[in-house]
Each structure stands twice: as C-alpha cells, then as structure tokens.
Amino acid sequence: MAAMIAPLGQRLYLRIWLAVVAALAVMALLVGWIWKEQVEHDRAQRPGREIIVRNSDGDVVGQAASRGVRVPGQGLEFQVPMVDGETLSIQLPRPPRPPGRNEPFWLQAPFGFVGLLGLTALAVALGAYPIVRRLTQRLEAVQRGVEQWGAGDLSVRLPEAGEDEVASLAQRFNVAAERVQTLVRSHKALLANASHELRSPLARIRMGLELMPLGVAGSDAHVRDELTRNIAELDQLIDEILLASRLDMADAPMGQLEEVDLVGLAAEACAQADAQLSVHDGGPPLVAWGSARLLRRALRNLLENARRYGRDAQGQLRAIEVDVRHAPDRSRAELVVRDHGPGVPEALRERIFEPFYRLPGASEREGGVGLGLSLVRTIAQRHHGQVRCEAAPGGGAQFVLTLPLLP
C-alpha cells in the first residue's frame, strides 16, 4: 500500500501555523485599533479645557467645552455655539512633536500604522513556524510508521524521543506492534511445524497403500481409491499451507528471481493442462521479473480451478482458454484463464480469494482445499501485480492475472 500524502493546503503543520498566525494577526489589529481609538478619545476629552472665541474687540462671542469629534483623515473637530445662534466648526491640527523626538521609521511613510502591524504579523509567523513544524514532523513520522506497519512490514517501530503525548503514543504503538509480530511469528511457526510433521504419517500411509496387493476388486478397490484421493488432497493442503505461510511474510524471500518469459510459461502450463493458448503479438516483449517457480504455480492453480469448475451439467469438461496479452497501458501483461462453467456470482468474486473459502454448493469430492486462489493473489501481490475474477464472454468465469513487465 502506497503512503497517502495530503495536499499542501491540508498539511497539519501548515493548518496549525496558519491558524496561529491568523489569530495573532487579528489580535494585533484589534489591539492596535483599540489603542488608537483610546488615544484619540483621550486627546479629545481632556478635562479642564475650554474653547473661547472672541471678536476683534476682545468680547466673547462663543464658548464650548473641549470635547471634539475625530474626523477620519482630518484630525479633531470642535463645535462651538455662537451668541448669534450659529455654530462654528473648528478643526485643530495634530500638535507637532517636540524637537528631537522623531517618529520611528516603521511609523513613517511608506509604512505607517498598517506597516507596523504587518511587521508584527511577520515576526509572529517566523517565530511560530519552526515550533509548529517540529511538532508536526513527529506526527508525520508516526503516520509513516503506521502506514508501513499496516502494509505488512511488522518490523517497523516508531521513534520514542521526547516525553510528551507523541512519544507516549509511539511507545504504546511499539509495544502493541511487538506483541502482534510475536503472535504472528508464533502462529506461522506453529502452522509450518504442524504441516511439516504431518508429512511423516502421510508418507507411512502412502507406503502402506503401495504395499497393498494390486488387482483387488469391489469394496477394497473403492477404499484404496478413496484413500489415495484423500492422501493426494492432504498432501496438496500441506504444500499450500507451507507456501502460504512463507509468502505471507512481507520480508520473506521468494527464491531465485530472474527474467520470466510469460508466453513460454503459459505455453508450458497449457501443454500440461490441455488448454488452448492464444498470444496477442505487438508491443514490447512479455517478460516479467520474478520467481518462475511461483508464477508457474499461480498459473497452474488457475488452470486447476478452471478444470475443477469448468464442466457442464452432464459433468463434461469444456475447453479451457488461456490468453496472454498486453494490458491497455502497455506496461503490464495480462494472463487470462477462461472457463465455460457455471461462473462465479458477482457478489462472491472477491470472496473466492479468501483462504479456505468454497463457493456455495461446491462438493469436497471435486477436490481443492480452498487455498489455490488465495495463493494466486498472494503470488501476484509479491510480484507487484494483481488478480481479479470477471464474467467470461459467452458464460463462465475468467481470471485475469496482471503482472508488470520489464522496461
């Protein structure tokens, strides 16, 4: 399973960082606006001051308290009632700064008040980024480790540096992963050992059958045939259990890897199973990289499955067809095994790849132990391919084994 990488806008560290920066920027704007409003309000409402208007003779013609109104972009404005009933509007300019006290450069043009807030927001952003990024980097490490472990690499462990919640989560995950890996190893070891030990009594039973007198008739011959069939089925079960237990481990070796000619592999398997082979020429050679032994086993299991279920109502085996062709993207090959039996219901086309699953109504006398198709899927996945079941044209079922080709 490939790791899922979130788009840049959905990265956790960016979302946390932008949230912190946005919150501090809004706070800075709010504080600055309140501060500016308060300064202007204090300047406009200083107690103990009055505005007196006199004429040229020195007589008072208007008087009002010094409670001005701030006019945006124009300073303070005072309304002075006159003795003749009119109202005089007076705008007072901002008082000059004392000599030697110049404004800081960030309050001068072209920065001004907005520039000061912008510099504040920039400083907050630069200071918050490394803190947030350090936290989320550890979370991303946890995410990558969990994804690798979920993909089948049970040996993955998370870094436990630190003493916070992330370190505690990593420690708990490592403990759980170690327990699961130990249980899986024990299970596989028990399964492999039990399967290996079964071969000894199985060999003794087979030897006993070989020593039985030949040419017996009646019930004795029937018993001999039934025992022979059961021994063959048990031997196949042991072989497939051992192979499945080895392939289930993601780090287990597949044996000798080489260039595999898929056309030659299919021709050999079809000759042994008496199946019809069709090869679609054109495009690059159908050569894959992998284990010829395992790929041969996968194709043989598909052919055995087609022979087992590709019979008509009278029990007659219908023709089995094998197609070897390029996939639509031309970078992969498709090995298609087609039978003309009753087919597989659409709802069960995925379940038949589960270990030990049999289709409803399938008889044990038809053979098979329910591991053949499961092994095909495991072998395909170990070769970075896949297998699927479809409805065959004209009735029946077809299994498509897809494998990547060598460039």
Side-chain angles (χ1 to χ4, degrees), residues 287-307:
V287 178
W289 179 260
S291 170
R293 178 179 62 85
L294 292 179
L295 292 177
R296 188 179 295 109
R297 179 61 175 271
L299 188 55
R300 188 181 70 191
N301 284 4
L302 291 178
L303 290 171
E304 289 179 356
N305 183 78
R307 186 178 68 252

Side-chain angles (χ1 to χ4, degrees), residues 3-56:
M4 298 293 291
I5 300 178
L8 188 61
Q10 298 181 5
R11 294 291 184 89
L12 180 61
Y13 75 92
L14 280 180
R15 294 166 64 184
I16 297 176
W17 179 68
L18 289 176
V20 172
V21 171
L24 291 177
V26 171
M27 182 185 70
L29 287 173
L30 182 61
V31 170
W33 179 79
I34 294 175
W35 171 75
K36 191 173 183 180
E37 288 289 329
Q38 186 63 37
V39 169
E40 296 292 346
H41 183 270
D42 291 344
R43 289 178 56 193
Q45 299 189 11
R46 290 176 181 172
R49 300 288 183 89
E50 286 186 340
I51 297 178
I52 300 175
V53 181
R54 299 177 185 272
N55 58 16
S56 58

Side-chain angles (χ1 to χ4, degrees), residues 184-211:
V184 170
R185 285 177 176 173
S186 300
H187 169 73
K188 292 185 180 298
L190 176 63
L191 193 61
N193 292 335
S195 301
H196 180 74
E197 292 298 327
L198 282 174
R199 289 193 179 276
S200 297
L202 188 62
R204 291 194 294 268
I205 296 175
R206 184 181 290 111
M207 184 177 297
L209 281 177
E210 296 294 336
L211 295 177

